[in-house]
Amino acid sequence: MIAGRGRQRIRPPRRSLQGDSDIDFENTWGTIASAFREIHTKNASRLSYEELYRHAYRIVLKKKGEELYKRVKEFEHEWLSNEVRGSIQALFSPNLLADTQSLGGTTTNERRVAGEKFLRGLKQAWGDHQVCMSMLADVLMYMDRVYCQDHRRPSIYTAAMFLFRDDILNSPTSDQDGRVVLSLLNHVILDQIQMERDGDIVDKHLIKSCVYMLENLYEDEMESEDSRLYSLSFEREYLDSSREFYRQESELMLRDSDAGAYCRRARQRIREEEDRCRSTLLEVTAPKIQKVVEDELVKNRIRELVDMESGVRFMIDNDRVEELNLIFDLNARVDPKKGELTRSIQKRIVDLGNDINSAALVASQAPAAATAESGDKGKGAAQEKSLNQQTVAAIKWVEDVLRLKDKFDSIWRGSFNEDQPLQTALTRSFADFINSTTFPRSSEYISLFIDENMKKGIKGKTEAEVDAVLEKAIILLRYIQDKDLFERYYKKHLCRRLLMNKSISNDVEKHMISKMKIELGNNFTMKLEAMFKDMTISEELTDGFKKHVAGLGDKDPKRIELGINVLTSMTWPLETMGNDDDEESKRPKCNFPTSIERIKLGFEKYYNEKHSGRKLTWLVNMGTADIKATFPRVPNKDGTFRERRHDLNVSTYGMIILLLFNDLPEGHSLTFEEIQAHTNIPHNDLVRNLQSLAVAPGKRILLKEPMSKDVKATDRFLFNESFNGKFVKIKIGVVASGNKVESDRERRETEKKNDDSRAFQIEAAVVRIMKQRKELLHQQLVSETLAQLAAQFKPEVNMIKKRIESLIEREYLERMEGAKTDMYRYLA
Amino acid sequence: MAEKQLSEYVTLVSSDGFEFRILRSAACIAKTVQKALDPAYGFKEDQENKMTLSNINGVVLEKVCEYLYYNQKYAKAKDVPDPDIPPELCLELLIAADYLQC
């Protein structure tokens, strides 16, 4: 811009601006120094800033900046050493100093007062120093700007701060004492904080200003962030002493108080320290002290805390929701996985679960032991009783487990903030004890529980309640590892319910199935659904056959009605139904009376017309029959005669037996062997049916000679003509046909069958995998097989190995020659 | 002294006795002036609301005041017109600017 203004000369500046060239440095400095003294004694109003500034300006222009800088520093050094230090030292009361050597001798209150006086004095000195130095610095602004920047010196203000650090804080407290003021300051602050921790009220504001002082002073000239006196000197000591304090406190509290109180205290301490950082110290310390407190009070102690007598176990048992929440919170602070808490919770679950398991085992075995002692007499009844007992035990087991589950769920909701990892841990623990190898019955028990509810439990309940019950069962089902075993039991129980019409509501049954379908997938429920389908088809068949018979025009008044269930042999667990004998393979044809035989043939013909190529096998042992029985007149008490009719509901075998007596002349009897010869009923079934017809009290349609509970081959039976029943309809159940817990032998059988079917499933899985991969390492094959079957059950590795061997034998696979580790190839 | 109401105008006095009353806010653009008038320090200048600049003459100080207002006016503006500066004053103005730190 100047260039555009033509050729005017720029004159040199006049001399006057530079002032007298020959100013005397010493004189000028003398003026400045005396002015500084005035500033330090707060008499600035008499001074002219402009004059002082001009003096300094001139000195700097004279290239005497370095000299000036040095003089100012010297001046400040002298001032601090002579004036300020003295006033600070005057604050060291005997109380304060005494305390630094020994803790005893002075009361807390005296110490606090002395400490506050010291802090106040120091704060005052610091404040004055700051104000004066900023005035000085402004007067010497020109020097700062020109000299300090050019020569890379710290500004005079900064330099003066260092002087304060060196001359005041790092000066010895007294001539004899080696300690410096800084360490005394740290000590006093810590002492004050300690007093606050012990419940005293201290001047937080005062401490905070001293802390600010430490924050604004640096250890070295670089003023780097981490060389603040605060972090280098005070904070370190603070953390150390806090660590020590909390270590002792935690030890004391663990010894003297219970876990709940400990937790409350710890939480309170953590909050206190947080507040302290905000109100008394600096926020930057918060995470550090937090860690110290957490380390000392929680991390190093959590194990002891959890295992205390009044620890987690006690809290769980006594439903101390709030305390558990505290522990959870504390543990979460130091360990996002909450390892210790999880560990102890899991242990408690497994312990409680195992208690339930063994209680169930004891309950189911105790009566069994009693049976062995009671000898032969009444063995059957006792056995039945023991089976009942076992069922009760099973139901109790399920309910106990559910109660346990409810308990932990509510704790989880109430105390653990619905923490996800903890829920996983809970689930795992439940699965652990439910699938415990020492307790193999959980699948059976759960199925029994459902069975019991389907038959009785849900009577008179609302839909919502029923749903809750089913949901519970599903929850347990989720824990079951060997789903295939459960399926087997469920099928068996369902089968009984369906065929014997024991189920209260078909809708509920279907509802349950659909729930299982959601939970376990289509595969699982396919066969169960097929069972329902069979039932529906059978109803149609029955109706159809009825019409068919009516259509034949055979108006026989004695016509027998037939209700039939046609069951697909693959889907129904026929082998587990009723027939305990091992002769089912050569199931003997039982001889039907002609009237029955005729209708049976009729149905077979009708069925074969509808579905050609299917073979019907009659499961006589599963059927029931309604018979109208007429008993001869007997004289009543008043002398009249009355004919008595009863509708008897008996098993099919029972019906066959009774029909034999129809053809018998009055008073004649049949021996056991004769009955067997006539009917060809399997021995066991015959015994049971005769027992229920002749032995069960109140329902003796037949009389037995000799009268005893056991049926022997030589026993004779005759029609009980004087039978007198209270009801018109009488149901004669067959002994031990209810749904009970399995006996040991049955269980072994079930397990064997289960193993067999598992073997097939494993083979299928192996082949599926190999077909896809063609070649695979042994280890990989095993793990993939495990993964595939996880939804159904957890096979043993040994079993997989055996299946692989067998597949190799049958040339589905081959071992690869020359491979380092075992490897297989699929043979198409 | 902190409670004292700050006057709106302050007086700058040149070495040859000219007095310039200018807005405090403008005057304080010069750091030296600002510090001299800082109420927290309470120097004589603050008590009197007057600062004597004994090494700047009236001509230069007038230009300085002009510049202070100019600076304040265009502090946030764009496309600022150049100030009118006589070349013969350039050097003296530079020195004054250095002294006043503005």
Side-chain angles (χ1 to χ4, degrees):
Chain A
M1 75 192 171
I2 294 171
R5 292 207 162 244
R7 283 191 210 134
Q8 278 170 310
R9 264 187 65 228
I10 297 174
R11 284 178 294 161
R14 273 160 300 163
R15 264 195 119 64
S16 69
L17 192 68
Q18 266 182 326
D20 321 83
S21 53
D22 49 346
I23 47 150
D24 181 17
F25 177 80
E26 288 304 329
N27 269 344
T28 320
W29 167 245
T31 324
I32 294 177
S34 70
F36 282 0
R37 212 159 282 125
E38 296 286 329
I39 289 175
H40 271 305
T41 48
K42 299 179 184 168
N43 281 325
S45 59
R46 286 195 281 134
L47 302 171
S48 160
Y49 175 86
E50 197 268 347
E51 189 190 334
L52 292 172
Y53 178 80
R54 184 150 37 83
H55 285 316
Y57 170 74
R58 284 203 180 122
I59 292 175
V60 174
L61 282 189
K62 288 279 172 209
K63 309 274 183 224
K64 293 263 175 62
E66 184 162 3
E67 183 75 14
L68 178 63
Y69 187 78
K70 220 168 72 196
R71 289 291 179 95
V72 174
K73 267 174 79 171
E74 259 167 41
F75 173 83
E76 278 306 316
H77 171 65
E78 304 254 307
W79 177 265
L80 287 172
S81 321
N82 298 335
E83 309 286 331
V84 183
R85 193 190 298 172
S87 66
I88 297 289
Q89 271 168 353
L91 296 169
F92 302 154
S93 68
N95 276 341
L96 197 64
L97 290 173
D99 170 62
T100 64
Q101 274 125 24
S102 65
L103 276 165
T106 51
T107 66
T108 318
N109 204 35
E110 282 168 340
R111 238 166 54 224
R112 197 190 69 226
V113 171
E116 276 179 9
K117 196 173 139 213
F118 168 70
L119 292 180
R120 203 166 290 129
L122 201 57
K123 174 193 165 193
Q124 179 71 40
W126 166 249
D128 288 351
H129 185 64
Q130 267 182 312
V131 170
C132 293
M133 280 327 291
S134 58
M135 287 170 83
L136 250 62
D138 283 342
V139 168
L140 300 171
M141 197 160 47
Y142 196 79
M143 180 184 78
D144 265 350
R145 206 180 58 144
V146 176
Y147 168 75
C148 295
Q149 269 179 19
D150 288 0
H151 293 77
R152 297 178 193 283
R153 291 293 175 89
S155 76
I156 192 67
Y157 184 83
T158 317
M161 293 301 125
F162 292 142
L163 285 174
F164 188 84
R165 178 195 71 205
D166 295 338
D167 289 334
I168 302 297
L169 295 184
N170 286 340
S171 67
T173 48
S174 66
D175 296 336
Q176 305 87 30
D177 201 359
R179 290 165 62 103
V180 293
V181 176
L182 180 62
S183 74
L184 182 67
L185 171 67
N186 287 343
H187 177 83
V188 169
I189 297 180
L190 291 178
D191 202 26
Q192 300 269 328
I193 288 176
Q194 192 53 49
M195 287 174 204
E196 193 186 20
R197 279 184 189 144
D198 293 341
D200 275 3
I201 293 172
V202 299
D203 190 344
K204 291 178 183 172
H205 212 70
L206 183 61
I207 299 176
K208 182 120 189 169
S209 17
C210 290
V211 165
Y212 275 142
M213 174 178 83
L214 292 178
E215 191 201 7
N216 286 321
L217 288 174
Y218 295 85
E219 185 62 44
D220 58 14
E221 323 282 297
M222 301 303 294
E223 303 211 331
S224 58
E225 201 50 43
D226 50 358
S227 70
R228 293 177 185 277
L229 277 188
Y230 176 79
S231 37
L232 276 181
S233 150
F234 173 74
E235 193 178 67
R236 201 170 294 164
E237 255 184 74
Y238 173 60
L239 294 179
D240 285 349
S241 74
S242 302
R243 189 179 296 278
E244 190 49 42
F245 169 72
Y246 284 118
R247 181 173 304 142
Q248 281 168 9
E249 183 172 76
S250 67
E251 223 169 87
L252 209 69
M253 284 200 298
L254 275 180
R255 207 169 51 223
D256 296 346
S257 53
D258 64 1
Y262 185 97
C263 290
R264 266 187 285 276
R265 187 59 174 267
R267 173 112 122 198
Q268 185 200 344
R269 284 298 194 198
I270 289 171
R271 289 221 183 102
E272 269 177 26
E273 289 300 338
E274 210 171 302
D275 284 350
R276 181 164 299 120
C277 284
R278 208 171 299 131
S279 66
T280 318
L281 304 176
L282 294 178
E283 296 271 11
V284 288
T285 311
K288 297 179 197 164
I289 187 70
Q290 203 76 4
K291 189 170 175 320
V292 167
V293 183
E294 282 167 2
D295 276 0
E296 289 306 325
L297 287 187
V298 187
K299 201 170 170 185
N300 297 344
R301 304 287 180 185
I302 187 80
R303 195 177 191 104
E304 289 172 67
L305 180 63
V306 164
D307 292 342
M308 266 169 93
E309 208 165 297
S310 54
V312 170
R313 187 186 156 152
F314 172 83
M315 295 175 191
I316 291 173
D317 292 354
N318 291 289
D319 286 319
R320 298 282 175 90
V321 174
E322 187 207 352
E323 290 176 2
L324 280 169
N325 178 252
L326 284 170
I327 282 221
F328 168 80
D329 186 63
L330 291 180
N331 203 352
R333 279 170 187 277
V334 295
D335 178 10
K337 289 206 226 73
K338 295 154 286 270
E340 283 302 323
L341 180 64
T342 314
R343 179 186 62 83
S344 96
I345 297 261
Q346 284 190 314
K347 184 166 175 301
R348 193 68 196 132
I349 293 179
V350 172
D351 282 356
L352 288 172
N354 283 336
D355 284 354
I356 295 175
N357 283 353
S358 48
L361 281 180
V362 168
S364 64
Q365 271 162 7
T371 322
E373 287 160 25
S374 67
D376 285 10
K377 253 196 164 185
K379 194 175 176 184
Q383 203 163 18
E384 188 186 355
K385 206 170 152 198
S386 93
L387 283 172
N388 259 329
Q389 203 100 15
Q390 295 203 18
T391 314
V392 171
I395 306 291
K396 185 169 175 306
W397 179 84
V398 172
E399 274 164 4
D400 284 349
V401 172
L402 284 173
R403 205 169 305 126
L404 194 65
K405 163 90 178 143
D406 278 351
K407 183 183 171 77
F408 279 96
D409 273 355
S410 77
I411 288 178
W412 177 71
R413 269 192 304 277
S415 306
F416 301 155
N417 303 343
E418 312 203 350
D419 183 69
Q420 216 51 52
L422 261 179
Q423 193 189 32
T424 324
L426 291 183
T427 311
R428 194 159 348 105
S429 306
F430 272 97
D432 275 357
F433 83 77
I434 288 177
N435 292 313
S436 155
T437 45
T438 54
F439 188 75
R441 300 195 181 177
S442 29
S443 300
E444 186 187 358
Y445 279 7
I446 292 171
S447 177
L448 256 179
F449 171 78
I450 300 172
D451 186 59
E452 188 67 17
N453 271 305
M454 288 294 183
K455 288 198 301 207
K456 297 175 194 147
I458 56 172
K459 205 175 264 176
K461 280 187 179 163
T462 66
E463 213 167 289
E465 282 169 328
V466 170
D467 203 60
V469 170
L470 299 189
E471 198 49 51
K472 278 180 184 173
I474 290 286
I475 286 169
L476 289 183
L477 190 52
R478 235 170 257 162
Y479 294 129
I480 290 279
Q481 211 167 49
D482 298 335
K483 303 260 182 347
D484 58 339
L485 202 57
F486 174 79
E487 186 190 353
R488 192 169 294 274
Y489 282 115
Y490 193 80
K491 243 157 72 176
K492 181 176 144 192
H493 292 151
L494 176 64
C495 160
R496 290 247 174 92
R497 288 203 295 277
L498 289 178
L499 292 183
M500 296 179 182
N501 262 329
K502 290 269 181 62
S503 188
I504 290 175
S505 154
N506 248 337
D507 284 348
V508 177
E509 289 278 8
K510 280 180 182 152
H511 193 49
M512 184 72 205
I513 301 264
S514 70
K515 268 179 183 296
M516 283 196 258
K517 194 177 197 166
I518 293 168
E519 197 60 37
L520 303 169
N522 215 356
N523 260 351
F524 185 83
T525 52
M526 219 156 58
K527 286 188 176 174
L528 300 178
E529 280 170 345
M531 286 164 78
F532 276 98
K533 209 165 147 200
D534 274 357
M535 291 306 285
T536 329
I537 292 174
S538 298
E539 261 172 48
E540 285 164 12
L541 265 176
T542 306
D543 282 353
F545 182 63
K546 229 182 249 173
K547 277 183 199 132
H548 168 77
V549 172
L552 288 178
D554 183 5
K555 296 274 191 233
D556 185 357
K558 283 188 176 175
R559 200 182 66 224
I560 300 161
E561 282 191 10
L562 178 69
I564 197 112
N565 288 320
V566 179
L567 314 175
T568 317
S569 61
M570 281 308 288
T571 44
W572 292 72
L574 300 180
E575 71 281 1
T576 57
M577 292 189 306
N579 201 340
D580 295 338
D581 291 358
D582 298 331
E583 51 196 273
E584 56 216 295
S585 47
K586 40 175 176 129
R587 189 186 294 276
K589 290 275 188 295
C590 126
N591 296 335
F592 290 99
T594 41
S595 54
I596 308 292
E597 187 69 21
R598 214 172 67 223
I599 197 162
K600 179 187 151 203
L601 289 174
F603 180 77
E604 276 176 2
K605 187 161 160 261
Y606 170 77
Y607 188 79
N608 279 327
E609 273 169 19
K610 292 201 132 189
H611 312 273
S612 61
R614 293 196 189 174
K615 186 167 174 282
L616 284 174
T617 310
W618 294 82
L619 292 171
V620 185
N621 55 333
M622 296 306 295
T624 59
D626 291 324
I627 319 174
K628 285 194 168 71
T630 314
F631 293 88
R633 296 152 182 258
V634 286
N636 274 358
K637 276 176 202 156
D638 52 3
T640 60
F641 289 87
R642 198 161 59 86
E643 200 177 43
R644 290 154 304 129
R645 289 172 183 281
H646 287 286
D647 288 349
L648 302 179
N649 178 279
V650 295
S651 68
T652 312
Y653 284 140
M655 170 193 73
I656 296 171
I657 297 166
L658 288 178
L659 286 179
L660 283 179
F661 290 90
N662 256 359
D663 306 333
L664 219 60
E666 209 169 305
H668 277 239
S669 63
L670 291 168
T671 65
F672 180 84
E673 279 160 339
E674 281 169 336
I675 295 174
Q676 193 170 24
H678 272 104
T679 58
N680 203 14
I681 296 172
H683 180 268
N684 263 14
D685 286 324
L686 185 56
V687 169
R688 282 219 309 263
N689 277 290
L690 284 173
Q691 263 178 346
S692 56
L693 286 171
V695 178
K699 291 175 181 175
R700 290 184 187 152
I701 315 294
L702 299 180
L703 291 174
K704 192 165 90 72
E705 285 291 331
M707 191 55 223
S708 70
K709 278 200 172 170
D710 287 328
V711 176
K712 293 198 182 72
T714 51
D715 286 350
R716 303 190 68 80
F717 295 89
L718 70 156
F719 187 59
N720 182 5
E721 291 187 350
S722 58
F723 175 79
N724 201 349
K726 281 175 194 147
F727 307 101
V728 177
K729 281 190 176 174
I730 297 173
K731 184 173 167 62
I732 299 168
V734 178
V735 173
S737 67
N739 249 356
K740 305 291 187 237
V741 172
E742 291 178 309
S743 67
D744 285 344
R745 196 170 56 82
E746 284 173 314
R747 190 187 320 284
R748 273 198 299 280
E749 220 161 273
T750 313
E751 271 162 17
K752 187 176 159 291
K753 284 193 183 113
N754 208 44
D755 279 351
D756 289 349
S757 85
R758 281 184 182 187
F760 287 124
Q761 294 203 39
I762 293 172
E763 283 183 4
V766 168
V767 169
R768 266 200 303 277
I769 294 163
M770 290 307 291
K771 194 167 186 175
Q772 193 188 0
R773 299 298 189 88
K774 303 299 180 209
E775 287 173 8
L776 208 58
L777 283 171
H778 173 76
Q779 213 47 45
Q780 275 174 298
L781 180 58
V782 170
S783 61
E784 282 201 33
T785 311
L786 282 170
Q788 267 211 7
L789 295 172
Q792 295 153 57
F793 60 96
K794 193 176 160 215
E796 283 169 39
V797 176
N798 239 346
M799 201 168 178
I800 300 180
K801 268 188 198 156
K802 275 190 194 143
R803 284 357 289 169
I804 293 175
E805 291 298 329
S806 145
L807 284 170
I808 291 172
E809 261 168 44
R810 284 178 282 160
E811 299 191 331
Y812 282 92
L813 309 177
E814 69 172 358
R815 244 183 253 282
M816 285 172 69
E817 299 294 333
K820 272 183 207 156
T821 42
D822 270 354
M823 235 180 140
Y824 305 111
R825 180 183 292 129
Y826 180 70
L827 297 175
Chain B
M1 61 188 178
E3 304 91 59
K4 191 184 70 180
Q5 192 67 40
L6 289 179
S7 60
E8 199 181 352
Y9 287 90
V10 295
T11 311
L12 299 182
V13 185
S14 71
S15 56
D16 40 4
F18 289 101
E19 294 198 356
F20 298 87
R21 272 176 71 76
I22 68 169
L23 272 173
R24 180 185 285 270
S25 55
C28 284
I29 289 170
K31 285 218 190 67
T32 308
V33 181
Q34 186 204 346
K35 296 294 179 190
L37 295 173
D38 194 326
Y41 298 163
F43 282 110
K44 205 166 91 194
E45 281 86 350
D46 171 58
Q47 312 283 314
E48 297 169 355
N49 269 328
K50 178 198 263 186
M51 184 178 186
T52 310
L53 298 160
S54 54
N55 47 1
I56 302 177
N57 62 30
V59 182
V60 177
L61 191 55
E62 187 186 0
K63 240 350 179 203
V64 167
C65 292
E66 228 174 79
Y67 167 75
L68 290 175
Y69 273 116
Y70 166 87
N71 184 313
Q72 191 178 37
K73 181 178 173 190
Y74 294 114
K76 284 170 191 162
K78 285 178 185 169
D79 302 327
V80 183
D82 291 333
D84 175 35
I85 293 178
E88 63 275 14
L89 282 181
C90 270
L91 208 53
E92 277 178 276
L93 275 174
L94 278 175
I95 291 168
D98 177 51
Y99 181 72
L100 294 170
Q101 306 196 10
C102 63

